[in-house]
Amino acid sequence: MSLQVGETAPDFTLPDQSGAPVTLSEKLADRVVVLYFYPKDNTRGCTAEACSFRDNYECFSDAGAEVIGISSDSVESHEKFAGRHELPFILLSDKDRAVRKQYGATTLGVVPGRITFVIDRDGVIRHTFSSMANIGPHVEEALRVVRELTAA
């Protein structure tokens, strides 16, 4: 079962698409974080989702949020995926799926799920959205919640 609204987001450190370590708590010191888990680089749905976050990245940034994608793909795969689709945000490699497991970001407990979490600067989960097929609301709802959080 995935983490729920009101729970504290577990901290973690994972390598980004360039191999540099990224720590969630360090990102939260500056901005709200939109953390989205996705199944696999370069698949149809995951590419559509990433490109939707890309197309709205400036809106997220202007609203005070950092977008971070996580899958179990390698650093090298993320680097190619980000380059191919001109993704301006961070992609993290969770090779052993430890962070995915911490967040419960699976479908039926085993299949890598498509779940988005909006985490406030205190590390509290303020919104979750889980859907493998309905990709649009991941971005739309996350942006709505970010704007509500940063306007308060």
Side-chain angles (χ1 to χ4, degrees), residues 10-31:
D11 198 16
F12 60 83
T13 301
L14 290 173
D16 70 9
Q17 63 263 42
S18 67
V22 173
T23 301
L24 177 64
S25 57
E26 291 175 4
K27 293 296 181 185
L28 290 170
D30 297 323
R31 303 178 77 82

Side-chain angles (χ1 to χ4, degrees), residues 16-19 36 38 40-43 46-47 50-51 54 67 69 71 73-92:
D16 70 9
Q17 63 263 42
S18 67
Y36 82 96
Y38 65 100
K40 187 146 183 62
D41 290 344
N42 296 305
T43 57
C46 296
T47 299
C51 289
R54 175 201 65 204
V67 175
S71 80
D73 292 298
S74 68
V75 167
E76 297 78 16
S77 177
H78 282 340
E79 182 180 38
K80 290 176 187 172
F81 184 53
R84 181 177 299 123
H85 299 288
E86 300 178 4
L87 304 179
F89 51 85
I90 297 167
L91 295 178
L92 299 178

Side-chain angles (χ1 to χ4, degrees), residues 54-108:
R54 175 201 65 204
D55 295 346
N56 289 280
Y57 183 73
E58 191 172 316
C59 295
F60 280 102
S61 186
D62 289 349
E66 180 73 47
V67 175
I68 300 175
I70 299 181
S71 80
S72 60
D73 292 298
S74 68
V75 167
E76 297 78 16
S77 177
H78 282 340
E79 182 180 38
K80 290 176 187 172
F81 184 53
R84 181 177 299 123
H85 299 288
E86 300 178 4
L87 304 179
F89 51 85
I90 297 167
L91 295 178
L92 299 178
S93 176
D94 183 24
K95 288 291 286 179
D96 63 3
R97 298 182 179 176
V99 174
R100 179 178 290 280
K101 288 175 189 163
Q102 280 184 299
Y103 279 75
T106 59
T107 302
L108 303 174

Side-chain angles (χ1 to χ4, degrees), residues 1 12 44 112 136:
M1 186 164 143
F12 60 83
R44 185 175 171 202

